[in-house]
Amino acid sequence: MSTILYARVSTLDQNLSHQRDQAQAAGFTIDEVVADHGVSGVSTRLAERSEGRRLFDKLRRGDTLVVRWVDRLGRNYQDVTDTIRHFMRQGVVIRTVINNMTFDGATTDPMQEAVRDALIAFMAATAQAQAEATKAAQRAGIEARRGDETRYRGKKPSYDRATFATVVDMLATGAGASAIAKATGLSRQTVLRIRDHRADAEKALAKWEAAPAEV
């Protein structure tokens, strides 16, 4: 029986080693890492990714598939729910690093199955909603910059894209501001600003990402 970490790194700001380090820090013993780079979780289904496709051939009954959160499998509701249910039918256990969630097909109790499936659906829907909200905020940031590249950018955010994504993911799973601050190294006030004004936080980050490097 193997424990395989699947990582999806969609931007230059995201880091494969960070996802592996998070998993190991959470107590997982990883036998193998399978990773896709530069792949969108919105437009590309897991089975259509070069490395994600390998999981369908590699995973066997009794194996454990570890992901940082379900959004690494994808940010499309139907794809994520179909994928998790497929692996459960194959006898594979799916575990998340964030919140240490476990999904498997071991239970035969209908009430437990209903609760499990509802939670899977909620997490998959949240992953898609996050992606849609982020895209909307990015569009707003682009519009704000359009036509004036010398626009005052304001104070540089204390977080990068990867940290911002981690905060958003942990907020979606119900983590508190203090726990998120401890996990990311940000101040509690910064976490609360991202929580309460996510579009503005995304816009500020986008302004600094798009600006030319300062010499």
Side-chain angles (χ1 to χ4, degrees), residues 10 32 45-46 50 93-94 105-106 129 140-141 155 179 186 205-206 211:
S10 57
E32 183 178 353
R45 296 168 61 90
L46 181 66
S50 60
V93 177
I94 299 94
K155 183 179 179 181
L186 299 177
L205 185 59

Side-chain angles (χ1 to χ4, degrees), residues 108-126:
T108 58
D109 180 270
M111 290 301 296
Q112 292 180 358
E113 285 184 314
V115 171
R116 178 202 65 197
D117 292 346
L119 183 55
I120 292 171
F122 170 76
M123 294 175 72
T126 300

Side-chain angles (χ1 to χ4, degrees), residues 31-189:
D31 297 313
E32 183 178 353
V33 177
V34 175
D36 278 300
H37 297 262
V39 177
S40 167
V42 177
S43 59
T44 310
R45 296 168 61 90
L46 181 66
E48 296 170 348
R49 305 172 203 160
S50 60
E51 294 301 298
R53 188 164 53 244
R54 290 178 56 212
L55 293 176
F56 291 86
D57 297 324
K58 180 178 290 292
L59 290 167
R60 296 288 185 268
R61 179 173 298 275
D63 288 346
T64 298
L65 172 63
V66 177
V67 290
R68 186 187 66 166
W69 203 59
V70 297
D71 67 341
R72 296 304 87 194
L73 294 174
R75 289 184 177 273
N76 176 281
Y77 172 83
Q78 198 64 57
D79 182 34
V80 172
T81 53
D82 286 349
T83 295
I84 292 177
R85 287 168 182 158
H86 168 81
F87 286 139
M88 287 195 303
R89 287 193 299 269
Q90 301 302 312
V92 175
V93 177
I94 299 94
R95 297 187 62 185
T96 68
V97 175
I98 296 177
N99 278 12
N100 193 26
M101 305 298 296
T102 299
F103 301 109
D104 61 43
T107 182
T108 58
D109 180 270
M111 290 301 296
Q112 292 180 358
E113 285 184 314
V115 171
R116 178 202 65 197
D117 292 346
L119 183 55
I120 292 171
F122 170 76
M123 294 175 72
T126 300
Q128 180 169 335
Q130 286 177 357
E132 293 171 351
T134 298
K135 288 185 68 175
Q138 287 173 337
R139 286 194 296 268
I142 292 171
E143 289 298 324
R145 295 191 305 272
R146 183 167 291 166
D148 186 4
E149 294 300 328
T150 62
R151 180 186 301 274
Y152 175 63
R153 289 177 284 160
K155 183 179 179 181
K156 185 176 182 179
S158 58
Y159 47 86
D160 58 14
R161 176 66 58 182
T163 305
F164 178 80
T166 298
V167 172
V168 171
D169 286 348
M170 293 185 71
L171 286 170
T173 61
S178 297
I180 298 174
K182 183 177 180 180
T184 60
L186 299 177
S187 69
R188 187 172 184 274
Q189 290 74 17

